[in-house]
């Protein structure tokens, strides 16, 4: 007998709502001009559906909100810190907890305690703030992700994998003594939310141990990575995401986490370690840059909501199933409409392939930035550029980095929007795609020195600068 189809549905019902409003096209044209064609500079009141990021934008549960009332705000020895320490040890398996205000606070401390000028830090694709802190500490990031990760059309199931041959070459060239740690990101953000496999992580860790090099995870989206391992990797189909997450972390010496993603809170993060001596050094910097060792960068209530969020994300597999299911719902709709998106659909968002959508705009005229602005003008949907603007300049040569991926990220906040919102987003992307020839490139009129994508300003290229459209085959 054929099995009846059963769709997934959100494992919660909605108890409180926040109104959002649609604006006119004229209003949005004015708003994006005022924002210098940078979606980071828009006011949230001018946005209809906000897919800028999944960071700090989750809806908390009633249990988390109740936790806010129970936060212990003691300056030292807060009960809420001990709850958090227990949650991190239980779910991630790390005994030493260094609480920070968010992920980059943890990256700052980790980079400062481990990196010396001239060091090399191999990693499976860069992340903006992670690489910034590595370079700020005097190190150099070297990309060791597999080649498929740089190809938006490759359907490799584990595009986040480390290329072990690339890693061996870096170790041979730089020497293990100049590599303080390797930085392995779970569900690689800049590759489109792509997982690495357990087998690859296990092998990478073994290679690191052989050379006496630490392996530090960016476990910010490790839960979503655990889900993909369960779905795609032989031997894991019957394991819970909770068990898989713990195994992921077992192949590392520590982790930085932005709790604003998987952990379902609006602020917070941590550095977690195994070695008490490293943790002691980290706490030395924590008290100088963040706060005392038992709150770091968070209030007691933040830590209380966070420890509850950590347990909640793995209580059953239903949460992550619905979360990734919603992302896939939007992605599959766009694929069905013929819109070029990065494949496979990632864990936290759908990434539009701006290069393929706008072949008439050269990378020097910021195709992804232009597409994000056009989408906003069409419907008030806010997205984020993940291409040449985000990649920034090479600190040695001062030249623009030219990533092969020129993407616009439609990032889905957790537990916030409904399937109907996803339908509206898909309709707008399809409408913009149908009129893609009308989209013009941009020139940058203000460029900040660091992490330029946050605050850069642009204006449309003048009509005379527009290159003739290349024929589309
Ligand atoms: O935004 P923070 O400082 O809490 O975390 C920085 C950070 C570290 N690692 C990874 C993989 C991230 O995705 C990350 C932040 N991501 C943001 C803000 C995003 O929009 O994707």
């Amino acid at each position: 007998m054929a099995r009846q189809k059963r769709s997934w549905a959100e494992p919660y019902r909605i108890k409180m709502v926040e109104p959002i409003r649609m604006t006119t096209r004229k209003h949005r044209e004015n708003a994006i001009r005022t924002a210098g064609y940078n979606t980071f500079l828009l006011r949230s009141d001018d946005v209809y559906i906000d897919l800028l990021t999944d960071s700090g934008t989750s809806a908390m549960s009633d249990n988390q909100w109740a936790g806010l009332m129970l936060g212990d705000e003691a300056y030292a020895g807060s009960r809420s810190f001990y709850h958090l320490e227990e949650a991190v040890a239980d779910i991630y398996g790390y005994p030493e907890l260094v609480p920070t205000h968010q992920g980059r606070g943890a990256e700052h401390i980790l980079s400062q305690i481990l990196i010396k000028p001239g060091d090399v830090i191999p990693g499976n694709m860069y992340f903006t703030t992670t690489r910034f802190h590595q370079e700020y500490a005097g190190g150099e990031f070297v990309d060791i992700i597999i080649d498929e990760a740089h190809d938006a059309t490759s359907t490799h199931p584990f595009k986040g994998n480390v290329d072990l041959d690339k890693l061996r070459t870096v170790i041979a060239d730089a020497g293990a003594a100049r590599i303080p740690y390797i930085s392995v990101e779970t569900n690689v953000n800049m590759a489109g939310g792509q997982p690495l496999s357990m087998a690859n992580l296990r092998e990478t860790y073994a290679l690191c141990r052989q050379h006496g090099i630490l392996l530090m995870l960016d476990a910010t989206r490790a839960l979503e990575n655990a889900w993909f391992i369960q779905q795609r990797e032989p031997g894991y189909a019957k394991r819970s995401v909770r068990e898989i997450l713990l195994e992921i972390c077992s192949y590392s010496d520590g982790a930085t986490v932005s709790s604003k993603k998987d952990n379902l809170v609006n602020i917070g993060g941590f550095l977690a370690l195994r070695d008490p001596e490293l943790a002691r050094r980290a706490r030395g910097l924590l008290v100088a840059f963040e706060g005392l060792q038992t709150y770091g960068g968070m209030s007691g209530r933040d830590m209380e909501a966070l420890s509850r969020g950590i347990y909640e994300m793995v209580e059953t597999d239903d949460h992550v199933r619905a979360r990734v299911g919603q992302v896939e719902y939007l992605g599959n709709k766009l694929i069905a409409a013929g819109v070029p998106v990065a494949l496979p659909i990632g864990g936290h968002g759908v990434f539009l392939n701006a290069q393929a959508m706008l072949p008439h705009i050269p990378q020097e005229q910021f195709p992804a930035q232009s597409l994000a602005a056009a989408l906003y003008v069409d419907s008030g949907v806010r997205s984020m550029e993940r291409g040449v603007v985000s990649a920034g300049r090479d600190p040695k040569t001062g030249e623009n980095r030219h990533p092969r991926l020129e993407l616009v990220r439609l990032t889905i906040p957790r537990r916030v929007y409904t399937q109907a919102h996803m339908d509206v987003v898909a309709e707008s992307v399809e409408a913009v795609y149908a009129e893609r020839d009308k989209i013009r490139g941009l020139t940058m009129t203000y460029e900040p020195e660091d992490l330029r994508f946050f605050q850069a300003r642009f204006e449309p290229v003048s009509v005379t600068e527009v290159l003739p459209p290349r024929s589309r085959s």
Side-chain angles (χ1 to χ4, degrees), residues 205-351:
Y205 188 50
L207 184 64
C208 285
R209 298 207 107 183
Q210 203 182 312
H211 290 275
I213 299 170
L214 299 175
L215 189 156
M216 293 295 174
L217 283 181
D218 181 336
T220 294
R221 296 186 183 83
L223 173 73
E224 289 163 12
N225 200 126
W227 169 255
F228 285 123
I229 287 175
Q230 188 196 66
Q231 298 302 302
R232 298 177 187 170
E233 189 160 350
Y236 288 92
K238 294 210 164 64
R239 304 269 301 277
S240 68
V241 288
R242 180 172 176 160
E243 290 170 315
I244 298 172
L245 175 58
L246 200 57
E247 187 180 337
I248 290 175
C249 297
S250 74
Y251 305 125
S252 71
D253 298 290
T256 53
V257 173
S258 165
S259 294
K260 300 170 73 173
K261 285 83 167 173
D262 276 356
N263 296 164
L264 300 166
V265 286
N266 305 120
I267 193 72
F270 55 88
L271 167 62
L273 295 162
R274 293 195 196 287
D275 178 3
E277 171 54 20
L278 262 190
R280 189 190 64 76
R281 284 164 53 198
R283 288 185 187 112
L285 288 185
L286 187 77
V287 295
F289 288 103
E290 299 266 328
L292 197 83
Q293 62 273 11
T294 55
Y295 69 84
M298 281 180 279
S299 64
R301 55 182 170 271
D302 292 335
M303 293 190 287
E304 201 59 49
L306 172 52
S307 55
R308 289 169 187 230
I310 289 173
Y311 280 114
E312 208 165 283
M313 71 178 186
V314 292
E315 204 175 327
T316 71
D317 294 356
D318 294 347
H319 159 67
V320 67
R321 179 180 189 216
R323 190 276 183 286
V324 178
Q326 187 178 43
V327 176
E328 284 172 347
Y329 173 82
L330 174 61
N332 288 332
K333 257 191 146 174
L334 293 176
I335 291 171
V339 176
V341 298
L343 298 172
I345 303 299
H348 64 302
V350 178
F351 290 66

